[in-house]
Amino acid sequence: MIRIENVNKIYKTGDIETAALKDVDLTINDGAFVVILGPSGSGKSTLLNVISGLDTVTSGNITFDDTVLTDLSPEQMTAFRRDHLGFIFQQYNLLQNLTVYENIQIGADLSTQPLGIDELLEQVGLSPARDKYPYQLSGGEQQRVSVARSLAKNPSIIFCDEPTGSLDEDNSKKVLELLERLNTTYGKTVVVITHNTGISAMADDVIKMNSGRIVELTHNPVRQAARDIAWG
Ligand SMILES: Nc1ncnc2c1ncn2[C@@H]1O[C@H](COP(=O)(O)OP(=O)(O)O)[C@@H](O)[C@H]1O
Ligand SMILES: [Mg+2]
């Protein structure tokens, strides 16, 4: 379980201060599928970045099970991130001069207990593309490689910042079905930031942000399948 207590984040650029997170309180349960919605600039990425230790908080506490993340040194936080967290971004961030297999290998190399790369390729439906290079793949296929790469180290939580932001509906749904399967079959906690309100129907919990605050928390008693969500 992740507990976020009274978290504030203020960015200072010269004389200008931006309060990107204001008094944020939130609990993310193990195995939950969480969607974070909100307009551009509302603090979604900042929230994800401070939860995952990619950025520091200005005040407040973040706890993962019994570990107070906000008390860890940068080195300890890096180790925690490496061992427990997976990331998927709008940009696929694949290395262009490595094959699909080799890109996933990079994720596996981060772990002492990596998942099998060929099995991961099977899971994301890309076994035939094993020896191709990123430029030989569609955007949707590249994003599925990045999903496999983030999974290779077997993280317990997967953070996704606009994972379908560059994809059309068909490819988006393939990526979302994959995230859904990771959550339901493998019990991974999945946190997805999106502009697309349709995706919120897939979630257990929907968090709406505005101007750095959580303005609404909704629990869906029933989740919609990724393939059935309304797009737009
Ligand atoms: N590194 C940064 N330095 C200064 N301001 C930032 C930085 N990152 C984000 N911000 C500001 O914080 C606010 C929240 O940004 P962000 O979390 O990226 O929003 P979202 O992901 O919802 O679009 C915005 O006003 C943005 O300009
Ligand atoms: Mg963002």
Side-chain angles (χ1 to χ4, degrees):
M1 183 162 80
I2 304 173
R3 220 182 238 123
I4 297 144
E5 294 170 296
N6 204 16
V7 162
N8 286 273
K9 174 68 182 179
I10 298 170
Y11 286 110
K12 287 194 177 110
T13 317
D15 290 342
I16 301 168
E17 290 195 350
T18 307
L21 295 175
K22 300 172 193 164
D23 302 327
V24 171
D25 283 296
L26 179 68
T27 299
I28 297 174
N29 291 317
D30 289 342
F33 197 114
V34 178
V35 163
I36 304 177
L37 291 173
S40 188
S42 58
K44 305 181 299 295
S45 294
T46 304
L47 179 61
L48 187 146
N49 291 346
V50 299
I51 298 174
S52 57
L54 292 172
D55 205 344
T56 56
V57 299
T58 304
S59 64
N61 285 313
I62 300 172
T63 319
F64 176 84
D65 293 339
D66 295 326
T67 309
V68 183
L69 301 183
T70 34
D71 286 349
L72 298 182
S73 68
E75 294 75 21
Q76 289 171 318
M77 190 63 221
T78 300
F80 175 85
R81 204 164 43 236
R82 186 193 59 214
D83 294 341
H84 298 282
L85 309 182
F87 294 92
I88 298 160
F89 297 100
Q90 180 170 353
Q91 295 80 18
Y92 322 123
N93 299 322
L94 300 177
L95 294 172
Q96 296 300 317
N97 57 342
L98 297 183
T99 64
V100 165
Y101 185 94
E102 290 163 344
N103 267 283
I104 300 171
Q105 177 104 52
I106 287 184
D109 285 347
L110 293 170
S111 172
T112 51
Q113 291 172 305
L115 301 177
I117 297 170
D118 285 313
E119 190 196 323
L120 284 162
L121 280 168
E122 185 80 40
Q123 286 293 326
V124 300
L126 286 173
S127 296
R130 186 184 191 279
D131 298 315
K132 288 190 177 172
Y133 289 88
Y135 73 89
Q136 296 172 307
L137 305 178
S138 71
E141 289 169 331
Q142 291 188 60
Q143 189 61 307
R144 284 187 279 141
V145 176
S146 84
V147 172
R149 180 188 52 192
S150 78
L151 275 181
K153 62 178 181 177
N154 205 6
S156 47
I157 307 174
I158 299 157
F159 291 103
C160 313
D161 195 344
E162 307 274 7
T164 60
S166 302
L167 302 178
D168 61 21
E169 177 173 347
D170 274 358
N171 279 304
S172 294
K173 286 194 171 173
K174 278 187 190 161
V175 169
L176 293 171
E177 281 177 41
L178 198 51
L179 295 176
E180 178 178 64
R181 186 144 42 90
L182 298 177
N183 175 254
T184 54
T185 309
Y186 299 96
K188 308 285 187 198
T189 305
V190 178
V191 180
V192 180
I193 291 179
T194 180
H195 271 94
N196 189 330
T197 51
I199 296 176
S200 55
M202 285 177 64
D204 295 300
D205 299 296
V206 183
I207 298 161
K208 282 198 187 140
M209 296 194 68
N210 207 335
S211 300
R213 293 184 194 278
I214 294 180
V215 290
E216 197 181 319
L217 270 175
T218 323
H219 180 76
N220 290 331
V222 180
R223 285 164 46 167
Q224 203 166 26
R227 67 173 174 281
D228 295 333
I229 62 176
W231 204 248

